[in-house]
């Protein structure tokens, strides 16, 4: 059975031929193949203005990204077999890297599964469907996950705000078994309790794992400030690796109550304190009170969510990094992260460097990192390389 066709305008096939998977609405020849003929999630075949097949995928006439390709093979059938194949490949990579079953199992486009994210917590999976096309394949996805991973339960967290852009509703449901409210993640030598249904995103931020490890050489005997701590990923590992005292700051009291429980579980309750509040306000108060730290971590949520927020977001990164550097001791270490794909790595480094100049300090960059290998980067889709982290050492004025 051949799929309905979406035809591109002349020369609009270049990005797909370079390996990208998206077609934007203005690239489609709507005279030849009107988008109005399609329902969100319909499977389609994409062809160039010359009739050359570029692949098969699914369409959403309501979204700016009109088509996402699932396969370059014109005869591919988008269904359970293809999904299971992609899942097997995704699982093989994670099993090769990690000794324990705690990782992002599927990272959307980068794993050949646009619109699907799935995190693994032992025998519990948490899946997020972010596009109408993947949502329509939900039953096949769940059954392929069951077959390939054999989990006890699967929770679907379909409550990401981005679903609205695809015309999708917000809901959370158990798709298999009875997912627990809470699971324990093992990372390094620590254990973390996280909430699944009520936590942020899928419950845990696996993407920062290599950067949390990157921090550990600097924390022995240190006073640590963990800004945007969530349930303590950075700060509690710092405490467990010999930091004298760690202050965790987050705007969510619920996250901090988990952080306190996690500190107790890891035997470091006596070495941590939590401050509930806006990190920008807390930094101002700490600075005014003359408090200083040997290590500061800044891991905010994306401050530039959309391109049009770039200027305001960049200004927020500047304020944040300057305030973080201002409470750092001489010889202190700043780990500064950004998960906004709009902010380039060089720009984040420049933000930190300029903050040091404004504060009349010397600075060395000593390390840098990105998302872990369970968040692979698609070579043609720069948006998939979103997390950057720089590590800098503060010095006296040069
Ligand atoms: N560092 C964490 C992940 C941080 S996620 C880890 O390694 O797991 C971002 C966190 O920032 C969330 O917990 C959110 O509650 C918190 N947050 C968002 N805006 C904030 C603000 N203005 N001030 C303080 N915390 C904030």
């Amino acid at each position: 059975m051949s799929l309905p066709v979406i035809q591109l305008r002349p020369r609009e096939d270049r990005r797909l031929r370079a390996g990208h998977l998206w077609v934007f609405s203005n690239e489609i020849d709507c005279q030849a193949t009107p988008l109005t003929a399609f329902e969100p999630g319909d499977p389609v075949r994409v062809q160039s203005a010359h009739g050359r097949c570029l692949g098969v995928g699914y369409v959403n006439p309501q979204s700016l990204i009109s088509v996402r390709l699932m396969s370059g093979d014109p005869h591919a059938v988008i269904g359970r077999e293809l999904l299971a194949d992609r899942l097997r490949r995704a699982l093989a990579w994670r099993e090769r890297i990690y000794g324990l079953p705690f990782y992002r199992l599927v990272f959307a486009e980068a794993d050949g599964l646009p619109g699907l994210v799935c995190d693994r917590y032992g025998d519990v999976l948490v899946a997020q469907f972010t596009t109408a096309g993947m949502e329509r394949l939900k039953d096949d996805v769940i059954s392929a996950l069951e077959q390939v991973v054999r989990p006890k339960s699967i929770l679907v967290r379909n409550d990401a705000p981005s679903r609205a852009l695809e015309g999708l509703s917000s809901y959370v449901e158990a798709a298999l078994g009875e997912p627990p409210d809470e699971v324990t993640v093992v990372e390094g030598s620590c254990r973390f309790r996280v909430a699944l249904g009520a936590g942020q995103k899928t419950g845990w931020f696996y993407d920062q794992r290599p950067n949390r490890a990157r921090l550990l050489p600097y924390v022995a005997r240190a006073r640590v400030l963990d800004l945007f701590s969530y349930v303590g990923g950075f700060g509690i590992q710092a405490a467990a690796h010999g930091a004298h005292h760690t202050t965790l700051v987050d705007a969510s009291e619920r996250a901090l109550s988990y952080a306190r429980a996690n500190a107790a579980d890891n035997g470091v309750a006596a070495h941590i304190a939590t401050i509930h509040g806006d990190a920008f306000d807390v930094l101002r108060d700490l600075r005014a009170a003359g408090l200083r730290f040997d290590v500061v971590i800044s891991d905010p949520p994306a401050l530039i969510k959309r391109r049009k927020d770039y200027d305001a977001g960049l200004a927020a990164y500047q304020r944040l990094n300057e305030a973080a550097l201002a409470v750092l001791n001489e010889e202190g270490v700043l780990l500064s992260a950004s998960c906004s794909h709009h902010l380039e790595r060089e720009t984040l480094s420049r933000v930190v460097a300029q903050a040091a100049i404004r504060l009349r300090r010397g600075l060395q960059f000593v390390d840098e990192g990105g998302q872990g290998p369970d968040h692979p980067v698609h070579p043609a889709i720069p948006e998939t390389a979103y997390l950057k982290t720089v590590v800098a050492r503060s010095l006296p004025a040069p």
Side-chain angles (χ1 to χ4, degrees), residues 56-129:
V56 297
Y58 57 75
V59 64
N60 187 349
Q62 297 182 20
S63 167
L64 202 60
I65 302 173
S66 299
V67 181
R68 294 178 200 243
L69 288 187
M70 295 276 294
S71 174
D73 171 3
H75 306 294
V77 177
I78 303 176
R80 205 172 155 285
E81 273 321 299
L82 182 141
L83 295 166
D85 237 37
R86 302 279 160 93
L87 289 175
R88 272 190 287 273
R89 201 181 309 153
L91 179 64
W93 175 240
R94 277 70 177 182
E95 287 188 326
R96 181 167 152 192
I97 312 168
Y98 302 109
L100 294 171
F102 298 96
Y103 40 71
R104 174 148 292 189
L105 172 65
V106 175
F107 185 42
E109 272 80 354
D111 281 305
L113 293 165
L116 180 67
V117 161
C118 182
D119 282 347
R120 181 170 193 183
Y121 301 95
D123 51 19
V124 182
L125 301 179
V126 180
Q128 294 181 304
F129 295 77

Side-chain angles (χ1 to χ4, degrees), residues 53 55 131 142 161 169 198 207 223 225 261 279 284 310 312 336 366:
C53 179
T131 60
I142 298 298
S169 64
D207 53 357
R223 284 174 62 83
L225 178 64
R284 188 197 52 216
Y310 188 85
S336 178
V366 292

Side-chain angles (χ1 to χ4, degrees), residues 15 21 37 55 65 91 93 167-168 176 178 217 235 239 251 254 273 278 286 327 350 370 373 388 391:
R15 195 157 20 76
L21 302 177
I65 302 173
L91 179 64
W93 175 240
L168 295 169
L176 173 76
E178 288 178 33
R254 202 186 146 82
D278 178 272
L286 292 171
V327 295
R350 195 168 66 235
K388 336 50 214 175
V391 185

Side-chain angles (χ1 to χ4, degrees), residues 6-17:
I6 292 266
Q7 183 165 314
L8 302 188
R9 292 162 44 162
R11 288 181 299 285
E12 297 293 9
D13 56 337
R14 279 174 298 186
R15 195 157 20 76
L16 294 189
R17 289 207 290 180

Side-chain angles (χ1 to χ4, degrees), residues 200 204-205 208 212 226-234 249-252 255 277-280 297 299-301:
Q200 296 184 23
W204 180 247
F205 294 90
Q208 285 284 23
R212 291 189 282 250
D226 181 4
L227 300 165
F228 311 93
S229 67
Y230 189 47
V231 299
F234 279 98
V249 179
D250 203 280
S252 158
D278 178 272
F280 290 84
I297 300 121
D299 181 23

Side-chain angles (χ1 to χ4, degrees), residues 34-248:
L35 269 173
T36 46
F38 297 96
E39 293 293 324
D42 280 350
V44 290
R45 191 159 61 87
V46 177
Q47 67 181 37
S48 71
H50 302 298
R52 177 179 156 184
C53 179
L54 298 160
V56 297
Y58 57 75
V59 64
N60 187 349
Q62 297 182 20
S63 167
L64 202 60
I65 302 173
S66 299
V67 181
R68 294 178 200 243
L69 288 187
M70 295 276 294
S71 174
D73 171 3
H75 306 294
V77 177
I78 303 176
R80 205 172 155 285
E81 273 321 299
L82 182 141
L83 295 166
D85 237 37
R86 302 279 160 93
L87 289 175
R88 272 190 287 273
R89 201 181 309 153
L91 179 64
W93 175 240
R94 277 70 177 182
E95 287 188 326
R96 181 167 152 192
I97 312 168
Y98 302 109
L100 294 171
F102 298 96
Y103 40 71
R104 174 148 292 189
L105 172 65
V106 175
F107 185 42
E109 272 80 354
D111 281 305
L113 293 165
L116 180 67
V117 161
C118 182
D119 282 347
R120 181 170 193 183
Y121 301 95
D123 51 19
V124 182
L125 301 179
V126 180
Q128 294 181 304
F129 295 77
T130 59
T131 60
M134 200 48 92
E135 176 99 354
R136 208 194 264 195
L137 292 165
K138 189 167 78 181
D139 291 348
D140 283 335
V141 169
I142 298 298
S143 104
L145 281 169
E146 240 186 293
Q147 180 202 338
V148 173
V149 190
R150 306 219 158 273
K152 276 209 183 102
S153 60
I154 304 177
L155 180 71
V156 173
R157 278 289 302 258
N158 276 349
D159 55 353
S162 63
R163 280 173 57 91
L165 300 174
E166 290 269 325
L168 295 169
S169 64
S170 171
Y171 66 93
V172 177
E173 69 178 18
L176 173 76
E178 288 178 33
D181 294 338
E182 195 181 292
V183 290
T184 298
V185 175
V186 181
E187 185 174 297
S189 59
C190 292
R191 303 166 67 76
F192 294 90
R193 276 193 248 173
V194 301
L196 291 190
Q200 296 184 23
K201 304 284 174 76
T202 75
W204 180 247
F205 294 90
Y206 283 121
D207 53 357
Q208 285 284 23
R209 169 170 21 202
N211 302 310
R212 291 189 282 250
R214 196 177 304 287
L215 185 75
L216 300 181
Y218 315 114
V219 301
R221 292 177 298 284
R223 284 174 62 83
V224 175
L225 178 64
D226 181 4
L227 300 165
F228 311 93
S229 67
Y230 189 47
V231 299
F234 279 98
I236 289 171
Q237 294 195 63
H241 282 78
H244 265 322
H245 193 267
T246 300
T247 304
L248 308 167

